[in-house]
Amino acid sequence: MKFEPKWIAWEITRRCNLHCIHCRSSSEEVVKEHPDPPKEECFRIIDDISSYAQPVIVLTGGEPLLREDVFDIAEYGRSKNLRICMATNGTLVDDEICKKIKNVDIKMVSLSLDGPDEKTHDDFRQQKSAFKATINAAKLFKKYEIPFLINSSFTKRNQKFIEDTYHLAKQLGATAWYMFMIVPTGRGEDLLNELINKEDYEKILHWHYEMEKNEKDMLVRPTCAPQYYRIILEKSKKEGEKFERRSLKFSTGGAKGCVAAQLICLINVDEDVMPCSYFPLSAGNLKNQSFRDIWESSKLFKELRDFKSYKGRCGVCEYLNVCGGCRARAYCLKDDYMDEDPQCNYIPRRFT
């Protein structure tokens, strides 16, 4: 089976003006140990990637808008026929930024919205007025006709606001809403006691299924929740109808619900290539290896693609090929990325 990179999240800076409780990169406003790669080095990385594949590149961080040359990097990527997107917290977005986004043809911008009100979102972001800034950014994107999606991360502290957050994302005119079930990595390691429990996790995914059945205007998808694809198949079969979800299409082409190292990967600010944004283990480094070599030949990526070697419940599950469990969560919570996903409470028929 051939695996091709379709989406690459690229951390072009670890600097950030917020201090979010769940930040996978533990970003800070001033970072001395992990300086931003120079613009010329970013161009070299783009040349390396584009000589091998044509994935979507998501410029992220940290806060990418803190780099004065972020639009030079985006323009260079576009000149190499790469589809460039950007992930921002929204606090630095203004009219001038929107004009630059349009000028360099950034295809999609993602915003983070972790609650339907100022109190909830600002608590997550550890910054007063962060909510107002996100709402303002969404309005500016609509004004300039810039497509944007909204990412929402949830723990016990804000899980009761999931439905309200979805409605607000729709009200703001987002192209898509992605519901993130966080993986405790980076600063998120301090949130182990706040992870949504297995029972609620399952209920939330069932709620998402019913919501998505009636959602016609906005693409919706649970993220870091591969069990959703099991639920799609279970419920569709029970309902006696073929209900092909738009979110299910994301996992086609030979990949499963968890697409880490199959369709996606992360390049961090140190040029380490990782299976996904929440998987804190390097498969290789672009300073001394080509992207192609890492993607095709790294031991880590090869093991993650070897579904038959998965352990525990995941290894014997009848839904292995559509779910596979979250590999990052298995690594962060069980210290073994081949082990079963500890967040899942499904008992496979063959499990004894």
mmCIF file of all heavy atoms in Angstrom, residues 65-97:
data_model
loop_
_atom_site.group_PDB
_atom_site.id
_atom_site.type_symbol
_atom_site.label_atom_id
_atom_site.label_comp_id
_atom_site.label_asym_id
_atom_site.label_seq_id
_atom_site.Cartn_x
_atom_site.Cartn_y
_atom_site.Cartn_z
ATOM 1 N N LEU A 65 1.927 34.584 12.322
ATOM 2 C CA LEU A 65 1.895 35.999 11.972
ATOM 3 C C LEU A 65 2.931 36.815 12.744
ATOM 4 O O LEU A 65 3.139 37.997 12.444
ATOM 5 C CB LEU A 65 0.494 36.579 12.197
ATOM 6 C CG LEU A 65 -0.578 36.093 11.217
ATOM 7 C CD1 LEU A 65 -1.944 36.629 11.593
ATOM 8 C CD2 LEU A 65 -0.224 36.476 9.781
ATOM 9 N N LEU A 66 3.606 36.204 13.702
ATOM 10 C CA LEU A 66 4.700 36.891 14.392
ATOM 11 C C LEU A 66 5.951 36.957 13.521
ATOM 12 O O LEU A 66 6.866 37.725 13.813
ATOM 13 C CB LEU A 66 5.020 36.194 15.719
ATOM 14 C CG LEU A 66 4.031 36.431 16.855
ATOM 15 C CD1 LEU A 66 4.370 35.556 18.057
ATOM 16 C CD2 LEU A 66 4.011 37.908 17.269
ATOM 17 N N ARG A 67 6.003 36.143 12.470
ATOM 18 C CA ARG A 67 7.120 36.210 11.526
ATOM 19 C C ARG A 67 6.849 37.294 10.493
ATOM 20 O O ARG A 67 5.834 37.236 9.772
ATOM 21 C CB ARG A 67 7.316 34.866 10.820
ATOM 22 C CG ARG A 67 7.984 33.811 11.663
ATOM 23 C CD ARG A 67 8.460 32.651 10.816
ATOM 24 N NE ARG A 67 9.509 33.016 9.871
ATOM 25 C CZ ARG A 67 10.589 32.255 9.614
ATOM 26 N NH1 ARG A 67 10.748 31.103 10.248
ATOM 27 N NH2 ARG A 67 11.489 32.650 8.744
ATOM 28 N N GLU A 68 7.738 38.249 10.384
ATOM 29 C CA GLU A 68 7.561 39.323 9.417
ATOM 30 C C GLU A 68 7.632 38.812 7.984
ATOM 31 O O GLU A 68 7.101 39.446 7.066
ATOM 32 C CB GLU A 68 8.623 40.408 9.643
ATOM 33 C CG GLU A 68 8.468 41.135 10.984
ATOM 34 C CD GLU A 68 9.502 42.223 11.158
ATOM 35 O OE1 GLU A 68 10.365 42.378 10.254
ATOM 36 O OE2 GLU A 68 9.453 42.917 12.190
ATOM 37 N N ASP A 69 8.313 37.669 7.800
ATOM 38 C CA ASP A 69 8.479 37.138 6.451
ATOM 39 C C ASP A 69 7.500 36.005 6.134
ATOM 40 O O ASP A 69 7.691 35.263 5.167
ATOM 41 C CB ASP A 69 9.909 36.647 6.241
ATOM 42 C CG ASP A 69 10.330 35.590 7.269
ATOM 43 O OD1 ASP A 69 9.482 35.196 8.096
ATOM 44 O OD2 ASP A 69 11.503 35.171 7.244
ATOM 45 N N VAL A 70 6.439 35.852 6.935
ATOM 46 C CA VAL A 70 5.515 34.735 6.742
ATOM 47 C C VAL A 70 4.887 34.744 5.353
ATOM 48 O O VAL A 70 4.701 33.694 4.725
ATOM 49 C CB VAL A 70 4.419 34.722 7.836
ATOM 50 C CG1 VAL A 70 3.566 35.975 7.806
ATOM 51 C CG2 VAL A 70 3.534 33.480 7.698
ATOM 52 N N PHE A 71 4.611 35.939 4.826
ATOM 53 C CA PHE A 71 3.978 35.999 3.507
ATOM 54 C C PHE A 71 4.987 35.771 2.380
ATOM 55 O O PHE A 71 4.609 35.330 1.290
ATOM 56 C CB PHE A 71 3.233 37.319 3.344
ATOM 57 C CG PHE A 71 2.053 37.433 4.276
ATOM 58 C CD1 PHE A 71 2.100 38.269 5.375
ATOM 59 C CD2 PHE A 71 0.917 36.663 4.073
ATOM 60 C CE1 PHE A 71 1.021 38.360 6.249
ATOM 61 C CE2 PHE A 71 -0.162 36.733 4.941
ATOM 62 C CZ PHE A 71 -0.108 37.585 6.039
ATOM 63 N N ASP A 72 6.265 36.034 2.647
ATOM 64 C CA ASP A 72 7.304 35.670 1.680
ATOM 65 C C ASP A 72 7.389 34.150 1.566
ATOM 66 O O ASP A 72 7.526 33.590 0.469
ATOM 67 C CB ASP A 72 8.663 36.221 2.120
ATOM 68 C CG ASP A 72 8.723 37.730 2.109
ATOM 69 O OD1 ASP A 72 7.969 38.343 1.331
ATOM 70 O OD2 ASP A 72 9.512 38.297 2.880
ATOM 71 N N ILE A 73 7.306 33.477 2.715
ATOM 72 C CA ILE A 73 7.346 32.011 2.736
ATOM 73 C C ILE A 73 6.123 31.447 2.025
ATOM 74 O O ILE A 73 6.222 30.510 1.221
ATOM 75 C CB ILE A 73 7.427 31.506 4.190
ATOM 76 C CG1 ILE A 73 8.737 31.962 4.836
ATOM 77 C CG2 ILE A 73 7.302 29.982 4.246
ATOM 78 C CD1 ILE A 73 8.807 31.734 6.336
ATOM 79 N N ALA A 74 4.956 32.036 2.315
ATOM 80 C CA ALA A 74 3.722 31.577 1.669
ATOM 81 C C ALA A 74 3.785 31.776 0.158
ATOM 82 O O ALA A 74 3.401 30.889 -0.620
ATOM 83 C CB ALA A 74 2.524 32.329 2.251
ATOM 84 N N GLU A 75 4.289 32.919 -0.272
ATOM 85 C CA GLU A 75 4.384 33.216 -1.702
ATOM 86 C C GLU A 75 5.350 32.261 -2.392
ATOM 87 O O GLU A 75 5.089 31.792 -3.508
ATOM 88 C CB GLU A 75 4.851 34.654 -1.895
ATOM 89 C CG GLU A 75 5.117 35.056 -3.341
ATOM 90 C CD GLU A 75 3.863 35.036 -4.197
ATOM 91 O OE1 GLU A 75 2.761 35.221 -3.651
ATOM 92 O OE2 GLU A 75 3.994 34.827 -5.420
ATOM 93 N N TYR A 76 6.449 31.930 -1.739
ATOM 94 C CA TYR A 76 7.404 31.007 -2.330
ATOM 95 C C TYR A 76 6.779 29.611 -2.462
ATOM 96 O O TYR A 76 6.962 28.936 -3.481
ATOM 97 C CB TYR A 76 8.680 30.932 -1.490
ATOM 98 C CG TYR A 76 9.787 30.169 -2.183
ATOM 99 C CD1 TYR A 76 10.528 30.765 -3.199
ATOM 100 C CD2 TYR A 76 10.079 28.851 -1.841
ATOM 101 C CE1 TYR A 76 11.536 30.070 -3.856
ATOM 102 C CE2 TYR A 76 11.079 28.140 -2.489
ATOM 103 C CZ TYR A 76 11.804 28.756 -3.503
ATOM 104 O OH TYR A 76 12.789 28.052 -4.160
ATOM 105 N N GLY A 77 6.059 29.190 -1.443
ATOM 106 C CA GLY A 77 5.376 27.905 -1.523
ATOM 107 C C GLY A 77 4.371 27.862 -2.657
ATOM 108 O O GLY A 77 4.270 26.866 -3.391
ATOM 109 N N ARG A 78 3.654 28.953 -2.819
ATOM 110 C CA ARG A 78 2.662 29.019 -3.905
ATOM 111 C C ARG A 78 3.353 28.976 -5.264
ATOM 112 O O ARG A 78 2.848 28.376 -6.224
ATOM 113 C CB ARG A 78 1.839 30.297 -3.782
ATOM 114 C CG ARG A 78 0.618 30.337 -4.687
ATOM 115 C CD ARG A 78 -0.116 31.646 -4.545
ATOM 116 N NE ARG A 78 0.679 32.764 -5.047
ATOM 117 C CZ ARG A 78 0.787 33.102 -6.334
ATOM 118 N NH1 ARG A 78 0.173 32.383 -7.254
ATOM 119 N NH2 ARG A 78 1.506 34.139 -6.690
ATOM 120 N N SER A 79 4.550 29.595 -5.358
ATOM 121 C CA SER A 79 5.290 29.589 -6.632
ATOM 122 C C SER A 79 5.748 28.187 -7.012
ATOM 123 O O SER A 79 6.060 27.931 -8.180
ATOM 124 C CB SER A 79 6.500 30.525 -6.545
ATOM 125 O OG SER A 79 7.545 29.963 -5.764
ATOM 126 N N LYS A 80 5.796 27.289 -6.007
ATOM 127 C CA LYS A 80 6.158 25.896 -6.251
ATOM 128 C C LYS A 80 4.916 25.013 -6.407
ATOM 129 O O LYS A 80 4.990 23.792 -6.283
ATOM 130 C CB LYS A 80 7.018 25.372 -5.095
ATOM 131 C CG LYS A 80 8.361 26.073 -4.969
ATOM 132 C CD LYS A 80 9.245 25.797 -6.183
ATOM 133 C CE LYS A 80 10.596 26.467 -6.057
ATOM 134 N NZ LYS A 80 11.496 26.117 -7.174
ATOM 135 N N ASN A 81 3.787 25.666 -6.651
ATOM 136 C CA ASN A 81 2.513 24.981 -6.898
ATOM 137 C C ASN A 81 1.989 24.223 -5.683
ATOM 138 O O ASN A 81 1.242 23.241 -5.833
ATOM 139 C CB ASN A 81 2.634 24.033 -8.099
ATOM 140 C CG ASN A 81 2.950 24.766 -9.382
ATOM 141 O OD1 ASN A 81 2.348 25.801 -9.670
ATOM 142 N ND2 ASN A 81 3.904 24.252 -10.143
ATOM 143 N N LEU A 82 2.363 24.668 -4.485
ATOM 144 C CA LEU A 82 1.820 24.092 -3.269
ATOM 145 C C LEU A 82 0.604 24.894 -2.823
ATOM 146 O O LEU A 82 0.551 26.114 -2.993
ATOM 147 C CB LEU A 82 2.870 24.091 -2.154
ATOM 148 C CG LEU A 82 4.125 23.264 -2.412
ATOM 149 C CD1 LEU A 82 5.122 23.443 -1.277
ATOM 150 C CD2 LEU A 82 3.787 21.792 -2.590
ATOM 151 N N ARG A 83 -0.364 24.205 -2.288
ATOM 152 C CA ARG A 83 -1.554 24.860 -1.751
ATOM 153 C C ARG A 83 -1.226 25.291 -0.315
ATOM 154 O O ARG A 83 -0.984 24.440 0.552
ATOM 155 C CB ARG A 83 -2.743 23.904 -1.780
ATOM 156 C CG ARG A 83 -4.061 24.496 -1.326
ATOM 157 C CD ARG A 83 -5.166 23.437 -1.400
ATOM 158 N NE ARG A 83 -6.398 23.897 -0.824
ATOM 159 C CZ ARG A 83 -7.359 24.529 -1.495
ATOM 160 N NH1 ARG A 83 -7.203 24.746 -2.789
ATOM 161 N NH2 ARG A 83 -8.471 24.926 -0.908
ATOM 162 N N ILE A 84 -1.201 26.578 -0.047
ATOM 163 C CA ILE A 84 -0.770 27.106 1.247
ATOM 164 C C ILE A 84 -1.967 27.536 2.090
ATOM 165 O O ILE A 84 -2.846 28.264 1.623
ATOM 166 C CB ILE A 84 0.185 28.302 1.067
ATOM 167 C CG1 ILE A 84 1.356 27.924 0.159
ATOM 168 C CG2 ILE A 84 0.679 28.789 2.430
ATOM 169 C CD1 ILE A 84 2.241 26.825 0.700
ATOM 170 N N CYS A 85 -1.973 27.068 3.313
ATOM 171 C CA CYS A 85 -2.982 27.465 4.299
ATOM 172 C C CYS A 85 -2.253 28.016 5.526
ATOM 173 O O CYS A 85 -1.028 27.964 5.612
ATOM 174 C CB CYS A 85 -3.863 26.286 4.683
ATOM 175 S SG CYS A 85 -4.782 25.568 3.302
ATOM 176 N N MET A 86 -3.017 28.547 6.476
ATOM 177 C CA MET A 86 -2.397 29.128 7.664
ATOM 178 C C MET A 86 -3.268 28.887 8.887
ATOM 179 O O MET A 86 -4.501 28.936 8.804
ATOM 180 C CB MET A 86 -2.180 30.638 7.480
ATOM 181 C CG MET A 86 -1.527 31.324 8.680
ATOM 182 S SD MET A 86 -1.434 33.127 8.491
ATOM 183 C CE MET A 86 -0.249 33.246 7.160
ATOM 184 N N ALA A 87 -2.614 28.625 10.025
ATOM 185 C CA ALA A 87 -3.315 28.484 11.298
ATOM 186 C C ALA A 87 -2.899 29.641 12.197
ATOM 187 O O ALA A 87 -1.709 29.833 12.468
ATOM 188 C CB ALA A 87 -2.965 27.155 11.958
ATOM 189 N N THR A 88 -3.864 30.429 12.650
ATOM 190 C CA THR A 88 -3.581 31.595 13.484
ATOM 191 C C THR A 88 -4.536 31.632 14.669
ATOM 192 O O THR A 88 -5.659 31.117 14.593
ATOM 193 C CB THR A 88 -3.693 32.904 12.684
ATOM 194 O OG1 THR A 88 -3.536 34.032 13.561
ATOM 195 C CG2 THR A 88 -5.049 33.012 11.988
ATOM 196 N N ASN A 89 -4.102 32.265 15.754
ATOM 197 C CA ASN A 89 -5.023 32.428 16.890
ATOM 198 C C ASN A 89 -5.947 33.625 16.699
ATOM 199 O O ASN A 89 -6.860 33.846 17.500
ATOM 200 C CB ASN A 89 -4.258 32.525 18.217
ATOM 201 C CG ASN A 89 -3.288 33.686 18.280
ATOM 202 O OD1 ASN A 89 -3.558 34.783 17.800
ATOM 203 N ND2 ASN A 89 -2.124 33.461 18.890
ATOM 204 N N GLY A 90 -5.699 34.425 15.662
ATOM 205 C CA GLY A 90 -6.599 35.511 15.314
ATOM 206 C C GLY A 90 -6.304 36.846 15.963
ATOM 207 O O GLY A 90 -6.833 37.881 15.535
ATOM 208 N N THR A 91 -5.456 36.877 16.970
ATOM 209 C CA THR A 91 -5.251 38.115 17.725
ATOM 210 C C THR A 91 -4.523 39.198 16.932
ATOM 211 O O THR A 91 -4.614 40.382 17.269
ATOM 212 C CB THR A 91 -4.471 37.831 19.019
ATOM 213 O OG1 THR A 91 -3.199 37.242 18.683
ATOM 214 C CG2 THR A 91 -5.234 36.888 19.934
ATOM 215 N N LEU A 92 -3.793 38.812 15.902
ATOM 216 C CA LEU A 92 -3.007 39.777 15.121
ATOM 217 C C LEU A 92 -3.650 40.092 13.773
ATOM 218 O O LEU A 92 -3.072 40.817 12.965
ATOM 219 C CB LEU A 92 -1.592 39.230 14.898
ATOM 220 C CG LEU A 92 -0.799 38.898 16.155
ATOM 221 C CD1 LEU A 92 0.565 38.328 15.798
ATOM 222 C CD2 LEU A 92 -0.640 40.128 17.045
ATOM 223 N N VAL A 93 -4.828 39.569 13.541
ATOM 224 C CA VAL A 93 -5.502 39.769 12.255
ATOM 225 C C VAL A 93 -6.136 41.152 12.190
ATOM 226 O O VAL A 93 -6.876 41.562 13.090
ATOM 227 C CB VAL A 93 -6.579 38.683 12.034
ATOM 228 C CG1 VAL A 93 -7.373 38.967 10.760
ATOM 229 C CG2 VAL A 93 -5.931 37.298 11.963
ATOM 230 N N ASP A 94 -5.831 41.876 11.129
ATOM 231 C CA ASP A 94 -6.459 43.171 10.868
ATOM 232 C C ASP A 94 -6.673 43.306 9.364
ATOM 233 O O ASP A 94 -6.438 42.356 8.602
ATOM 234 C CB ASP A 94 -5.612 44.329 11.420
ATOM 235 C CG ASP A 94 -4.175 44.338 10.882
ATOM 236 O OD1 ASP A 94 -3.922 43.705 9.822
ATOM 237 O OD2 ASP A 94 -3.308 44.982 11.501
ATOM 238 N N ASP A 95 -7.100 44.459 8.925
ATOM 239 C CA ASP A 95 -7.382 44.662 7.503
ATOM 240 C C ASP A 95 -6.144 44.438 6.651
ATOM 241 O O ASP A 95 -6.215 43.828 5.575
ATOM 242 C CB ASP A 95 -7.930 46.082 7.274
ATOM 243 C CG ASP A 95 -9.345 46.244 7.787
ATOM 244 O OD1 ASP A 95 -10.288 45.945 7.046
ATOM 245 O OD2 ASP A 95 -9.502 46.650 8.952
ATOM 246 N N GLU A 96 -4.995 44.924 7.112
ATOM 247 C CA GLU A 96 -3.771 44.801 6.341
ATOM 248 C C GLU A 96 -3.353 43.337 6.188
ATOM 249 O O GLU A 96 -2.932 42.902 5.112
ATOM 250 C CB GLU A 96 -2.650 45.599 7.009
ATOM 251 C CG GLU A 96 -1.401 45.749 6.156
ATOM 252 C CD GLU A 96 -1.664 46.489 4.858
ATOM 253 O OE1 GLU A 96 -2.554 47.365 4.810
ATOM 254 O OE2 GLU A 96 -0.964 46.157 3.861
ATOM 255 N N ILE A 97 -3.488 42.574 7.281
ATOM 256 C CA ILE A 97 -3.167 41.145 7.234
ATOM 257 C C ILE A 97 -4.084 40.432 6.248
ATOM 258 O O ILE A 97 -3.645 39.584 5.451
ATOM 259 C CB ILE A 97 -3.287 40.511 8.633
ATOM 260 C CG1 ILE A 97 -2.168 41.010 9.546
ATOM 261 C CG2 ILE A 97 -3.283 38.979 8.540
ATOM 262 C CD1 ILE A 97 -0.780 40.564 9.140
#
